[in-house]
Amino acid sequence: MADASTVFEFIQNMIVEIKDLEPSEIQQETSIDELGLDSLDYVEIQVGVKREFGVALSPALFEKQIRTLGQLCTYIGTAAATQEA
């Protein structure tokens, strides 16, 4: 099962690699907009999440529902748990 902290660690590590940031710069309260992700970064995150947790992320999530990394991690954890049930 993917809890929010496991998902956050995974996402944090991806963003550290993608954006060359320090882990301390990436917190659950960090807004997605603050990270300055481009379309290829989003695709890389989508592919990584699908591979690791089996959860597909649609671009619409980032436009309407998901504003912070914490919200993203909660969404992924919940979706992964639903698939396991």
Side-chain angles (χ1 to χ4, degrees), residues 5 7 13 19 26 28 43 47 67 72 75 78 80:
S5 63
V7 175
N13 289 334
K19 298 309 274 184
I26 304 166
Q28 292 210 20
V43 169
V47 170
R67 297 283 179 226
L72 177 62
Y75 176 86
T78 301

Side-chain angles (χ1 to χ4, degrees), residues 11-23 26:
I11 297 292
Q12 183 184 44
N13 289 334
M14 284 195 75
I15 294 170
V16 163
E17 287 184 32
I18 291 170
K19 298 309 274 184
D20 196 30
L21 298 171
E22 293 296 320
I26 304 166

Side-chain angles (χ1 to χ4, degrees), residues 26-39:
I26 304 166
Q27 303 300 317
Q28 292 210 20
E29 305 82 31
T30 303
S31 79
I32 303 290
D33 292 338
E34 287 177 59
L35 296 170
L37 300 172
D38 62 29
S39 59

Side-chain angles (χ1 to χ4, degrees), residues 19-83:
K19 298 309 274 184
D20 196 30
L21 298 171
E22 293 296 320
S24 62
E25 297 177 85
I26 304 166
Q27 303 300 317
Q28 292 210 20
E29 305 82 31
T30 303
S31 79
I32 303 290
D33 292 338
E34 287 177 59
L35 296 170
L37 300 172
D38 62 29
S39 59
L40 292 177
D41 298 335
Y42 282 110
V43 169
E44 192 169 340
I45 290 170
Q46 289 171 313
V47 170
V49 168
K50 179 69 172 173
R51 190 175 296 141
E52 185 72 17
F53 302 107
V55 175
L57 300 175
S58 74
L61 282 173
F62 295 101
E63 295 170 8
K64 297 181 181 178
Q65 276 180 274
I66 308 294
R67 297 283 179 226
T68 67
L69 290 179
Q71 290 173 335
L72 177 62
C73 295
T74 300
Y75 176 86
I76 293 168
T78 301
T82 301
Q83 290 178 352

